[in-house]
Amino acid sequence: MNQPPVSSTTPETPSSGGAVFLAWAFVGIPLLWGVSQTFIKALDLFK
């Protein structure tokens, strides 16, 4: 009754660099735009 241990994690699959870049761009570009707009609006408060 020796059974191999069952792993609860999914096996790692290699991802392409292009897909990772697109995912970061999809999140990063709107994030940078939002941060820059917040910074610009905050500067207006201190004029």
Side-chain angles (χ1 to χ4, degrees):
M1 295 199 63
N2 274 342
Q3 294 179 344
V6 177
S7 175
S8 63
T9 60
T10 58
E12 294 183 17
T13 57
S15 59
S16 67
V20 172
F21 174 78
L22 285 176
W24 275 107
F26 185 74
V27 173
I29 292 171
L31 178 65
L32 288 174
W33 182 84
V35 169
S36 68
Q37 293 300 308
T38 302
F39 184 71
I40 291 168
K41 302 267 185 197
L43 286 177
D44 287 342
L45 291 173
F46 296 104
K47 284 186 177 180

